[in-house]
Structures are given as structure tokens and as C-alpha cells.
Amino acid sequence: MPGQPRADNRPPYARIASHYRDLISSGELSPGDLLPSIRTMADEWNVSTATADRAMKLLREEQRVQGIPGVGTEVMAQPISLTSGSERHDRSSRTQSSWGVGEESSGHTGGIVPAPRDVADVLAIAAGDDVIRRSRVYRDSHGIVSHSTSWIPAEFAQVLPELARNERLKGGLSLDLIAEATGRQVEHRVDEEAARIATKEDLQLLELGTETVAAILVLTAKFLDADGLLLEYGVDLGAPGRTRRTTSEVVR
């Protein structure tokens, strides 16, 4: 039977679906590949055929596979994904890396700059006050995934001067370093998503022609400590054509 995560209390159908979801996401299973038959899958996982069929139904609903009469269950071509800053933070907590499968980041910059009005409103400071701005570009085999900016209260530069340097951080994300240096950890998070027509500045950051007309997703995340104080405000500009997808288990 395929290996299962330790202490995984999800129902069997969810574990089976997760196993094949991971194989598809990693590229180990490619579009056009066939999954085992329901009978074979049931035998491999030591479950009923109804349970195996429920796992495949979940993957079909997610549009990761499709059933072809007389052939079997085939892996579908996947939309080009867009990962949010919150997901990168979660991934870093689990794996010590914010990169998704096949991703890399470049163009890391840092510095203390005057806060733009919209950022100042979020940080509860006056427009023009000092704020740490860090940015980088995430890419995968399809091109740019997103341009990511972190706005961080300027006070943290006193204990972590590297936050304001033009270099990739070592030892984790900025939130990881803040937690280690100050003991202030993320306890609450507020995520928002909005679509808009890309501005000229957006297009430049996404390395697109400034005359391009494109719709993009803007993903923001406020990371708060136990006292409700802001540790970081993240803004991700998703490249045109990217798709956001989330999955969750339904508790009955």
C-alpha cells in the first residue's frame, strides 16, 4: 500500500485523494497518464471499492482527473496555479521553504522607504513615515507566478537590519526571523483577494509591456501577533492567466 503520513486522521478516501493530488502537483503523474482502476486502488489501499471511488470522485470534482469510458481515469492538464503569501508562510512553517513545486524566487530587494498612503492606513502610521519594504519575484516553468511585496514596521530594522538589505534572507521568511528575534509570532491572519485591471506599475513589476491590458488577482495578507499588532502586510500581484485553487474537507 502507498505510504501514508504519520498521525493522519483523515478518512481513507481523503488520504487516497491527497496521495494522487500530490503526485499530480509534483509532475510525477502527467496529463494523459492513467490512474489505477478502482479495484486495483481498493486492493492497494486495503479499502472498499466505494471508498476508492469516492476518492476519485473528489479528484474529478477538482478537475484533476477525468473518467474516460472504456479507458479509465486520466490525469487532466492543470491550470497554471497562483500561490498566495499566506500559503507561502504556511509552507515555510512546514518545510522551511516558501517555494512551491518547480518555483524559485529572484530580485530580492529590501530598504526603508516612506510608506504609501494605502500601506500607511494598514500599518496605522502616517503616510510618509518609515516602513520596511521587501520585494521579490516568484517564477516557475511557465514564467512569473507573482510579484510579492512585504511591508514591515520600521522598528524591526533595529533588531533585524538584514530586513532592509537588498539580499535574500537567510534562515527563513521575514516572519520567521521576527519570531526568533522578538518572540512575537503570527497568531491571526486576514486574507483578502481582489481582481483589477493591471496598472502600468503592476505591468512593470510583472515584467509585461506597459501597453498591455490584463486582469490580475491581488492577494493581501495581514499577519498579526497575539495582541493584534501587525507584524507584516503582504501584497502579491498574480501574473495574468494564473488560477487560484483551494481545497478543504467537508465535516459532516
Side-chain angles (χ1 to χ4, degrees):
M1 184 175 96
Q4 301 176 39
R6 298 170 64 181
D8 189 340
N9 296 319
R10 292 174 298 175
Y13 82 90
R15 295 200 300 270
I16 297 171
S18 178
H19 171 76
Y20 287 104
R21 187 184 298 120
D22 289 346
L23 293 180
I24 293 169
S25 296
S26 69
E28 191 168 339
L29 283 175
S30 303
D33 287 348
L34 294 178
L35 271 59
S37 68
I38 294 298
R39 168 53 63 189
T40 299
M41 193 176 297
D43 290 342
E44 289 178 349
W45 287 83
N46 194 26
V47 297
S48 68
T49 55
T51 295
D53 186 61
R54 186 175 181 184
M56 290 304 97
K57 180 181 179 182
L58 180 59
L59 294 179
R60 289 196 298 272
E61 290 173 348
E62 295 175 0
Q63 297 185 336
R64 295 180 184 273
V65 301
Q66 62 182 346
I68 302 178
V71 177
T73 301
E74 178 187 65
V75 175
M76 298 173 61
Q78 298 302 298
I80 304 175
S81 63
L82 170 61
T83 304
S84 69
S86 294
E87 289 168 320
R88 296 186 191 285
H89 176 249
D90 291 343
R91 185 184 297 128
S92 178
S93 299
R94 296 192 309 269
T95 68
Q96 287 70 60
S97 173
S98 65
W99 297 336
V101 176
E103 281 188 351
E104 61 182 11
S105 58
S106 61
H108 292 253
T109 67
I112 296 179
V113 301
R117 181 168 299 279
D118 58 333
V119 173
D121 289 344
V122 174
L123 271 66
I125 59 177
D129 281 358
D130 285 349
V131 64
I132 300 171
R133 180 186 187 274
R134 293 197 57 79
S135 66
R136 57 286 198 194
V137 174
Y138 289 95
R139 306 174 190 271
D140 62 14
S141 60
H142 300 283
I144 289 182
V145 177
S146 64
H147 182 280
S148 180
T149 303
S150 298
W151 300 95
I152 305 169
E155 65 191 74
F156 290 118
Q158 299 176 15
V159 292
L160 292 165
E162 60 267 41
L163 293 178
R165 294 176 186 153
N166 288 323
E167 58 187 35
R168 187 195 306 273
L169 294 176
K170 298 178 181 178
L173 299 178
S174 49
L175 288 165
D176 300 324
L177 301 183
I178 290 171
E180 183 177 350
T182 69
R184 295 172 62 185
Q185 301 189 43
V186 177
E187 297 291 343
H188 309 284
R189 190 175 71 205
V190 180
D191 298 312
E192 293 186 357
E193 299 181 13
R196 74 178 184 217
I197 299 299
T199 65
K200 287 189 175 182
E201 182 182 4
D202 295 336
L203 294 170
Q204 289 174 342
L205 294 175
L206 293 170
E207 300 178 14
L208 298 170
T210 56
E211 300 304 315
T212 303
V213 177
I216 62 171
L217 274 178
V218 181
L219 314 176
T220 64
K222 301 174 187 176
F223 299 93
L224 310 170
D225 66 11
D227 296 321
L229 299 177
L230 191 74
L231 298 174
E232 182 174 310
Y233 175 51
V235 181
D236 282 270
L237 305 177
R242 295 277 170 169
T243 299
R244 281 279 292 133
R245 168 181 284 165
T246 59
T247 60
S248 59
E249 300 296 332
V250 177
V251 179
R252 299 187 184 281

